[in-house]
Amino acid sequence: MNILIVEDEPEIAELIQLYLGKENFNCQVCADGLAAIEIFKSFQPDLMVLDLMLPGLDGLEVCARIRQQPGPKDPYILMLTAKGEELDRIIGLSTGADDYMVKPFSPRELVARVRALLRRSLRQGGQAPSQTYRTAHFTVDLDQRVALQQQGSGAEPIELTPLEFDLLATFMSYPGRVWNRAQLIERLWGDEFFGDERVVDTHIARLRKKIEPDSSQPTFIKTVIGVGYRFEDES
Ligand code: CA
């Protein structure tokens, strides 16, 4: 798997390369947006770690150009931003990035997010697509539409409405990803939605009541202030 790291701060670029290199990813690094576009064409990365603020072209522009002309491989893009307010803004722009991380971030978490993205690509393009998502406490079978939660030594079925099931399955398809309300609505309702985005919060609250040990202090479905939600379950 090829990963292109586009980051103009050398220490951060080196750190990312070190951690991804340890996982046997084949990495190339560059420090500005124009170079990124050039290297992209020859290197054909499966995934790009793309800093937002770059000399030359910024990360948004790089992302837009690659999405317009992806070439043989349409890479996953994990965007790095300097602070939370920026994150809020760029998610609102629907940039075409697949995931976002705010600096400073833990390199281990970056590796986990990269793996989650690439697993998704294997699932979509592989011979035998998995119809089951598993995390440490949950199993969701998309064919049978059954959701199980680990309780003590066994797994118990969770009684969910179809919408709650889809919501949980969406979260489990990509643990650790930050979803804003619009993205969840697109997954759950498609283009058929004309209501208030905050309806998502209502369904989240109901799902939390069913799966969280303490729904006032969620351990699985975390609120990301100013953005939306993130599902976490160590596995
Ligand atoms: Ca930068």
Side-chain angles (χ1 to χ4, degrees), residues 67 75-79 96-100 117 120 174 177:
R67 288 300 185 230
Y76 284 100
I77 295 178
L78 171 57
M79 200 166 276
D98 298 288
D99 198 3
Y100 307 85
L117 281 170
R120 197 165 63 145
Y174 196 175
R177 172 175 178 166

Side-chain angles (χ1 to χ4, degrees), residues 6-9 12 31 51-55 80 82 103:
V6 190
E7 169 60 77
D8 59 320
E9 289 169 72
I12 298 180
D51 188 28
L52 179 65
M53 298 302 289
L54 291 167
L80 305 178
K103 296 176 185 176

Side-chain angles (χ1 to χ4, degrees), residues 1-21:
M1 291 277 186
N2 289 348
I3 298 182
L4 177 56
I5 301 160
V6 190
E7 169 60 77
D8 59 320
E9 289 169 72
E11 306 82 47
I12 298 180
E14 274 171 34
L15 191 68
I16 297 171
Q17 189 177 21
L18 178 72
Y19 273 78
L20 291 177

Side-chain angles (χ1 to χ4, degrees), residues 122-131:
L122 290 177
R123 202 152 44 217
Q124 283 168 358
Q127 292 288 316
S130 162
Q131 297 299 320

Side-chain angles (χ1 to χ4, degrees), residues 128-192:
S130 162
Q131 297 299 320
T132 302
Y133 297 130
R134 282 195 186 83
T135 59
H137 294 86
F138 298 94
T139 303
V140 164
D141 182 328
L142 298 180
D143 292 329
Q144 310 285 331
R145 291 189 69 84
V146 171
L148 302 173
Q149 182 166 11
Q150 206 65 32
Q151 303 279 11
S153 58
E156 300 284 334
I158 321 166
E159 296 291 329
L160 298 174
T161 66
L163 232 147
E164 290 160 359
F165 180 89
D166 290 339
L167 191 55
L168 181 61
T170 298
F171 280 132
M172 288 181 63
S173 72
Y174 196 175
R177 172 175 178 166
V178 177
W179 299 85
N180 66 22
R181 290 173 184 80
Q183 289 166 333
L184 290 171
I185 284 169
E186 200 190 327
R187 282 293 186 99
L188 270 59
W189 281 273
D191 297 330
E192 304 291 304

Side-chain angles (χ1 to χ4, degrees), residues 2-225:
N2 289 348
I3 298 182
L4 177 56
I5 301 160
V6 190
E7 169 60 77
D8 59 320
E9 289 169 72
E11 306 82 47
I12 298 180
E14 274 171 34
L15 191 68
I16 297 171
Q17 189 177 21
L18 178 72
Y19 273 78
L20 291 177
K22 273 197 266 185
E23 305 288 317
N24 292 321
F25 292 115
N26 181 28
C27 299
Q28 280 205 24
V29 179
C30 72
D32 78 84
L34 280 169
I37 300 280
E38 282 311 303
I39 296 171
F40 167 77
K41 290 175 190 159
S42 55
F43 184 52
Q44 293 188 18
D46 298 280
L47 182 143
M48 293 175 67
V49 178
L50 180 60
D51 188 28
L52 179 65
M53 298 302 289
L54 291 167
L57 296 178
D58 72 13
L60 293 177
E61 184 63 30
V62 172
C63 192
R65 290 202 190 182
I66 283 171
R67 288 300 185 230
Q68 280 157 18
Q69 287 195 313
K73 275 185 193 166
D74 194 4
Y76 284 100
I77 295 178
L78 171 57
M79 200 166 276
L80 305 178
T81 77
K83 52 182 188 292
E85 303 87 82
E86 237 172 29
L87 176 72
D88 201 6
R89 190 172 61 84
I90 63 171
I91 288 185
L93 288 174
S94 52
T95 54
D98 298 288
D99 198 3
Y100 307 85
M101 291 190 79
V102 179
K103 296 176 185 176
F105 53 84
S106 119
R108 281 174 212 278
E109 190 181 347
L110 180 124
V111 169
R113 301 271 196 106
V114 163
R115 284 177 168 276
L117 281 170
L118 293 173
R119 262 203 307 275
R120 197 165 63 145
S121 83
L122 290 177
R123 202 152 44 217
Q124 283 168 358
Q127 292 288 316
S130 162
Q131 297 299 320
T132 302
Y133 297 130
R134 282 195 186 83
T135 59
H137 294 86
F138 298 94
T139 303
V140 164
D141 182 328
L142 298 180
D143 292 329
Q144 310 285 331
R145 291 189 69 84
V146 171
L148 302 173
Q149 182 166 11
Q150 206 65 32
Q151 303 279 11
S153 58
E156 300 284 334
I158 321 166
E159 296 291 329
L160 298 174
T161 66
L163 232 147
E164 290 160 359
F165 180 89
D166 290 339
L167 191 55
L168 181 61
T170 298
F171 280 132
M172 288 181 63
S173 72
Y174 196 175
R177 172 175 178 166
V178 177
W179 299 85
N180 66 22
R181 290 173 184 80
Q183 289 166 333
L184 290 171
I185 284 169
E186 200 190 327
R187 282 293 186 99
L188 270 59
W189 281 273
D191 297 330
E192 304 291 304
F193 184 83
F194 302 100
D196 188 317
E197 284 195 351
R198 280 168 298 183
V199 72
V200 169
D201 301 349
T202 315
H203 292 286
I204 299 265
R206 288 189 194 142
L207 181 58
R208 276 177 171 159
K209 282 214 173 97
K210 295 183 178 179
I211 67 170
E212 297 284 358
D214 175 359
S215 61
S216 65
Q217 291 186 315
T219 50
F220 302 120
I221 303 173
K222 301 277 177 69
T223 299
V224 183
I225 307 253

